[in-house]
């Protein structure tokens, strides 16, 4: 097994192993590399759904997404992200992740890690970006760090309540009221969280899910969020991944935000298998 860093800021590729068939000792090394690099890319994996599920379960208990539409028919815990259409209907979510976010931050128990497998890739577009929230926190001024201490942010799934994101056509069709029914209750989390395994502090907000700061008035809270959101998207903190066929990526949502960059031309196929591992309550 070889572990090669992909950038100065985050990410490493792992070559020479089959994740469906790992000794415990090798898994321990992978787990350590995951904590060190935050994103791991396993190349050339032959990964039927049950093997991907099995590998993910080594990191913890799998979670089931609130969106019921994009489930894999044979595997309740697997979701499909896809630009493929059958009979005029997408076979998976075509636009998941189109604004910066950390998975399931709108719930009390957000995602530990997400695992995405490239079943089909397009010739153009479909990249993924991650930004390092340890670095985002560590590069704040001492004054800002002090200001953030003890603050909590409100996260919601409901796009209609978040002026920072667009509402896609399909949701406009579903309508505001029904969409509000699908959305779970808001979650409130510390604006700076402590990673439960490394003990390091990371900035924890995103433009997709965070809508306000609990302890501050509306104007002051939004101004602080604007400042932090601009800071967390600096190119210095970001690694952009161009997918190869049969890449399997796994990333740590406790210290990263990420973005589906989109730009897949009409008619080209990006088809991914996704599973998520349940984390713990941010503190
Ligand atoms: C996700 C996600 C990004 C992508 O699966 O949680 O945001 O590039 N995916 O598909
Ligand atoms: Mn995501």
């Amino acid at each position: 097994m070889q572990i090669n860093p992909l950038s100065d800021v985050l990410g490493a590729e792992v070559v020479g192993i089959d994740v469906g068939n790992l000794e415990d000792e090798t898994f321990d090394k992978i787990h350590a590399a995951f904590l060190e690099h935050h994103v791991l890319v396993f190349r050339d994996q032959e990964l039927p759904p049950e093997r991907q599920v099995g590998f993910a379960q080594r990191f913890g208990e799998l979670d089931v997404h609130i969106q019921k539409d994009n489930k894999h028919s044979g595997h309740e815990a697997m979701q499909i992200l896809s630009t493929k259409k059958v009979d005029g209907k997408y076979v998976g979510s075509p636009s998941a992740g189109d604004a910066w976010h950390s998975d399931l931050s709108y719930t009390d128990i957000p995602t530990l890690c997400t695992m995405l497998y490239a079943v089909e890739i397009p010739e153009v577009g479909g990249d993924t970006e991650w930004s390092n929230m340890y670095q985002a926190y560590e590069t704040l001024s001492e004054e800002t760090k002090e200001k953030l201490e003890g603050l909590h942010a409100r996260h919601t799934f409901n796009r209609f309540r978040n002026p920072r994101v667009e509402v896609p056509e399909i949701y406009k069709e579903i309508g505001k009221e029904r969409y509000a029914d699908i959305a779970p209750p808001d979650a409130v989390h510390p604006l700076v969280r402590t990673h439960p395994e490394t003990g390091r502090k990371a900035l924890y907000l995103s433009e997709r899910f965070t809508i306000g700061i609990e302890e501050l008035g509306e104007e002051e809270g939004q101004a602080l969020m604007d400042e932090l959101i601009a800071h967390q998207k600096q190119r210095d903190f970001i690694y952009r991944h161009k997918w190869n066929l049969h890449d399997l990526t796994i990333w740590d949502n406790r210290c990263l935000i990420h973005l589906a960059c989109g730009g897949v031309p009409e008619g080209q196929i990006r088809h991914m298998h996704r599973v998520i591992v349940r984390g713990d309550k941010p503190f």
Side-chain angles (χ1 to χ4, degrees):
M1 175 170 74
Q2 255 190 39
I3 298 173
N4 308 315
L6 288 165
S7 77
D8 289 341
V9 69
L10 64 93
E13 65 164 8
V14 184
V15 288
I17 58 153
D18 169 8
V19 301
N21 188 10
L22 288 180
E23 303 287 329
D24 285 348
E25 205 177 299
T26 313
F27 179 75
D28 291 345
K29 286 189 188 143
I30 287 172
H31 187 251
F34 167 72
L35 293 179
E36 183 182 342
H37 299 285
H38 329 310
V39 176
L40 296 179
V41 180
F42 300 90
R43 304 289 191 186
D44 303 315
Q45 298 300 307
E46 261 322 306
L47 218 53
E50 60 277 9
R51 290 193 136 212
Q52 184 176 349
V53 164
F55 182 48
Q57 280 169 334
R58 298 184 80 151
F59 287 84
E61 183 195 339
L62 300 194
D63 216 340
V64 178
H65 200 271
I66 53 165
Q67 266 169 333
K68 309 264 181 283
D69 301 345
N70 307 314
K71 299 246 167 85
H72 187 285
S73 54
H75 295 269
E76 164 81 351
M78 180 166 279
Q79 273 184 290
I80 312 279
L81 310 186
S82 189
T83 60
K84 195 186 295 183
K85 278 181 180 168
V86 173
D87 300 330
K89 209 175 159 283
Y90 286 113
V91 301
S93 169
S95 61
D98 62 354
W100 282 102
H101 65 286
S102 175
D103 288 332
L104 268 64
S105 75
Y106 53 85
T107 69
D108 282 340
I109 312 289
T111 305
L112 189 161
C113 60
T114 306
M115 207 176 260
L116 207 54
Y117 178 58
V119 181
E120 274 183 72
I121 56 164
E123 271 171 44
V124 175
D127 295 354
T128 305
E129 287 185 342
W130 293 271
S131 185
N132 185 329
M133 291 302 101
Y134 288 136
Q135 288 215 359
Y137 176 72
E138 286 159 12
T139 51
L140 293 170
S141 68
E142 286 310 314
E143 191 190 335
T144 307
K145 283 183 193 163
E146 262 167 45
K147 187 156 111 191
L148 302 191
E149 219 165 284
L151 295 185
H152 295 80
R154 177 170 291 266
H155 299 241
T156 184
F157 183 73
N158 192 340
R159 288 180 184 255
F160 287 96
R161 288 171 51 213
N162 184 352
R164 287 187 178 84
V165 293
E166 306 235 327
V167 180
E169 284 307 317
I170 43 164
Y171 291 130
K172 286 186 189 148
E173 283 162 26
I174 292 173
K176 212 171 181 159
E177 283 74 28
R178 257 221 58 213
Y179 187 85
D181 287 344
I182 304 173
D186 293 353
V188 170
H189 299 300
L191 193 48
V192 176
R193 70 180 291 187
T194 303
H195 193 290
E197 293 184 88
T198 65
R200 291 174 72 187
K201 286 183 176 178
L203 197 56
Y204 196 56
L205 84 161
S206 71
E207 60 192 351
R208 169 64 186 87
F209 294 131
T210 312
I211 56 167
I213 311 284
E214 292 298 277
E215 291 83 1
L216 302 181
E218 184 60 13
E219 213 171 301
E220 197 186 349
Q222 295 304 328
L224 178 61
M225 281 180 60
D226 284 342
E227 187 189 317
L228 295 175
I229 286 170
H231 175 75
Q232 75 181 167
K233 294 191 295 185
Q234 278 179 63
R235 296 312 305 181
D236 292 355
F237 305 150
I238 294 174
Y239 163 67
R240 184 179 183 115
H241 188 61
K242 180 151 185 50
W243 291 81
N244 287 341
L245 188 66
H246 296 169
D247 278 352
L248 172 75
T249 63
I250 175 169
W251 66 85
D252 192 338
N253 285 284
R254 300 164 298 182
C255 57
L256 301 173
I257 53 172
H258 61 281
L259 175 71
C261 300
V264 178
E266 184 69 32
Q268 289 197 24
I269 306 296
R270 181 188 198 256
H271 190 86
M272 320 290 267
H273 283 173
R274 176 186 195 265
V275 290
I276 51 177
V277 174
R278 199 174 151 79
D280 38 28
K281 194 171 165 53
F283 59 89

